Amino acid sequence: MSGYVDDRLSGERLPDVEIYFPDLGRGAVTNQYGFYSFSSVATEIKLLVYHVAYEPQEYRFELFQDTTLNVALTLRDLTLEELEIVAHPDRAVDNIQMSQHNIEVAQIEGLPVLLGEPDIQKLLQLLPGVQGGQEGSSGLYVRGGRSDQNLVLLDGLPVYNPSHVFGFFSVFPAQAMKGVKLLKGGFPARYGGRLSSVIDYTMKEGNLREFKKQVAIGIVSSRLLIEGPFKKDKASFLLSGRRSFIDLLLKLSQVGNEESTSFFFYDLHFKANYIASKRDRFYLSAYAGRDLLAYRLDFDDRSNVGFREDDAKVDLGWGNRLLAFRWNRLAGDRTFLNALAGITTYRYALEQATTSKAARDEPAIRSEGSWDSEIIDGIIKVGLQLFKWVGCQN
C-alpha cells in the first residue's frame, strides 16, 4: 500500500506526516515529497494519519491487493486551550535521525521580526547547539563550527552565500518556503561537502487549485508572492520577489553631496511543478539574488584659488543563482525515485575607475581596474528510497 499526503486546500504535498498502524504496532512517515509506503500480510487494516498542523484522519479497510491511498488533510485551528502529551512506548521506530530538527513555516511566521522581515535563520539560532554570532546577524555557528562550514541547500542545490547585507538578512523569505531541515551531526553521507551542519530548505510548490498573492511593505524592503495553477490539479507555479529600499533612503540623505553611496539587494524565487501521471511528477526551481554596493565621487573646484577635478566610481556586487530540474517517480509500490539535475553559481565582482586633473593645462590621469571571481557547479543526483515492511499479523 502506498500513496501521497496533500494539503486539501492548496494541493501541496506534505512531508513528515505520521502514518500509524495501531494493530501492527508500527508506523511510517512521509518523505520530503509527501510519499509513504508499507507492506503487510495483514488483511484488516486500521490506519491513522497525524500531522501537528492538520486534523487527524482514520481509515479502516481490508487489503487483498496492492492499493493506492492518497490522503488530503485539512488545516486545523491551532488555538490551544489545553495540551496533553501522551507517550506510546509500544510504538516501534525503524529510522532515527540524530540531531535533526524539522521546522514548519507556521513556526517562523509567529516569531517577532527584524525590521519587518521574518527570517528563518533567526529561528534556527534559537535551537540548542546553534549560535548566531554577532547581534542581528543571520549567520549560524553550529556546535563550534564556522558559518562557512554549513552546507546550505535550496531544493537540493547548494547556496554559497545565504545572506544579504553582510549577513543581516537571509536569502530565504519565509512566505516562499515550505519548511527547513537542520542536521547538526551524524548527517547521511549523501550530503557531504561540509563539516558542521546541513540546512536543507524546500520551496513551496504553488497552489494547485486557486490563485493567491501576498504583498508586504516593510521598513527596509518589500516583497511580493504570486502562486496558482497553470492547470487546475495538474500544474502550478510560485513566484516570489523581494527588493530593499536602502539605496532610496541613502539617496535622500545625500542630496547635494559630492560623495554618494548606494546599496540594495534583491532576490527572486520561482518554482513550477507538473503532475505527468500517477507515478511521475516534475519540478523546476530557480533562484537569483544579488547585493550591489556603489560609490560615486564628483568633485569639481574651478575657483580662482585653485583648480581640481576628481571623479571616482566603484561598483561591488555579489550573489547566487541556481536552476534545478527534479523528477519524482514511483518505480514500484515501495520504491521512490528522486532524480535531480541543476547548476548553481556564486559570483563576486568589483569594478573601479578614477579620473584626476590638478590643472587646466594638464591632461587627466585615469585609472581603471576590475576583479571577478565565480564558482560554477553542475550537479546530477539520482536516489532510490526503498520502504521497508511495516509488520505482519497472523
Side-chain angles (χ1 to χ4, degrees):
M1 180 175 179
S2 61
Y4 288 96
V5 181
D6 300 335
D7 183 295
R8 187 181 299 276
L9 294 179
S10 67
E12 289 266 357
R13 288 184 172 167
L14 301 175
D16 305 315
V17 178
E18 182 182 359
I19 314 294
Y20 180 58
F21 313 92
D23 297 335
L24 303 176
R26 307 295 292 273
V29 177
T30 57
N31 68 5
Q32 187 177 357
Y33 306 98
F35 177 75
Y36 74 92
S37 176
F38 76 95
S39 299
S40 173
V41 297
T43 55
E44 295 184 0
I45 292 293
K46 177 181 178 181
L47 182 147
L48 304 177
V49 183
Y50 293 100
H51 190 283
V52 65
Y54 291 83
E55 295 289 346
Q57 292 195 20
E58 178 180 328
Y59 297 87
R60 292 176 180 270
F61 45 83
E62 295 185 353
L63 289 179
F64 298 102
Q65 60 183 359
D66 291 340
T67 303
T68 299
L69 175 64
N70 295 325
V71 180
L73 298 182
T74 302
L75 195 66
R76 71 166 72 187
D77 183 3
L78 296 180
T79 303
L80 298 179
E81 297 180 357
E82 181 179 349
L83 180 62
E84 180 181 1
I85 300 176
V86 180
H88 293 275
D90 56 329
R91 292 195 184 184
V93 180
D94 289 330
N95 184 18
I96 299 177
Q97 174 61 58
M98 298 173 57
S99 303
Q100 176 174 318
H101 297 275
N102 294 316
I103 300 172
E104 304 294 332
V105 174
Q107 296 176 261
I108 303 161
E109 294 176 344
L111 287 177
V113 298
L114 173 65
L115 300 176
E117 285 287 329
D119 198 329
I120 300 178
Q121 298 276 101
K122 297 294 191 303
L123 176 59
L124 296 180
Q125 292 175 358
L126 303 177
L127 297 176
V130 182
Q131 297 292 327
Q134 61 183 348
E135 186 69 26
S137 171
S138 63
L140 298 179
Y141 300 82
V142 181
R143 291 182 172 173
R146 300 197 307 267
S147 60
D148 61 345
Q149 292 175 337
N150 302 313
L151 174 61
V152 182
L153 301 172
L154 177 61
D155 279 355
L157 294 184
V159 178
Y160 288 101
N161 184 9
S163 63
H164 291 301
V165 196
F166 306 102
F168 284 92
F169 297 95
S170 76
V171 302
F172 308 107
Q175 75 276 7
M177 298 294 125
K178 178 189 291 187
V180 56
K181 177 168 61 178
L182 170 64
L183 299 171
K184 298 185 297 184
F187 39 87
R190 68 177 181 270
Y191 289 108
R194 295 296 189 278
L195 296 175
S196 187
S197 71
V198 176
I199 308 168
D200 193 354
Y201 288 88
T202 303
M203 289 177 58
K204 291 181 179 177
E205 300 162 1
N207 197 308
L208 280 166
R209 298 187 173 93
E210 61 179 341
F211 284 94
K212 290 187 175 182
K213 64 179 180 180
Q214 298 179 26
V215 180
I217 299 177
I219 301 175
V220 175
S221 65
S222 293
R223 58 185 185 273
L224 169 69
L225 182 141
I226 303 174
E227 62 176 327
F230 286 122
K231 185 177 181 180
K232 191 173 181 179
D233 294 326
K234 192 73 173 179
S236 66
F237 77 95
L238 179 141
L239 177 64
S240 173
R242 178 174 58 165
R243 190 191 189 280
S244 71
F245 294 142
I246 303 175
D247 57 327
L248 302 180
L249 298 175
L250 290 174
K251 185 179 293 185
L252 292 175
S253 65
Q254 298 171 357
V255 175
N257 293 351
E258 296 168 344
E259 294 182 273
S260 63
T261 303
S262 176
F263 180 79
F264 72 94
F265 69 85
Y266 70 87
D267 48 39
L268 295 170
H269 293 78
F270 174 80
K271 190 168 186 177
N273 77 98
Y274 172 65
I275 303 175
S277 67
K278 292 182 179 180
R279 291 185 173 270
D280 298 280
R281 189 164 186 171
F282 298 95
Y283 300 89
L284 179 66
S285 304
Y287 165 73
R290 195 157 181 82
D291 289 64
L292 295 168
L293 174 63
Y295 170 78
R296 299 290 185 269
L297 171 64
D298 186 7
F299 178 77
D300 191 353
D301 182 9
R302 299 171 181 266
S303 63
N304 295 327
V305 178
F307 179 91
R308 185 80 184 182
E309 289 182 356
D310 288 308
D311 295 315
K313 180 180 72 171
V314 179
D315 291 311
L316 176 63
W318 62 93
N320 301 273
R321 292 184 179 182
L322 65 83
L323 180 67
F325 177 77
R326 185 183 299 275
W327 173 35
N328 287 167
R329 176 174 175 78
L330 298 184
D333 292 327
R334 294 189 295 129
T335 306
F336 187 86
L337 171 68
N338 180 38
L340 171 69
I343 184 171
T344 180
T345 68
Y346 174 70
R347 183 170 181 258
Y348 185 95
L350 171 66
E351 296 182 1
Q352 64 87 26
T354 59
T355 302
S356 180
K357 186 175 181 181
R360 291 183 175 85
D361 55 350
E362 291 184 1
I365 300 175
R366 182 169 179 80
S367 173
E368 295 182 354
S370 64
W371 186 78
D372 199 327
S373 177
E374 188 171 14
I375 299 172
I376 303 176
D377 279 349
I379 296 173
I380 297 177
K381 297 179 181 178
V382 179
L384 283 174
Q385 189 174 6
L386 180 63
F387 290 78
K388 301 178 181 179
W389 286 69
V390 172
C392 61
Q393 179 175 332
N394 297 325

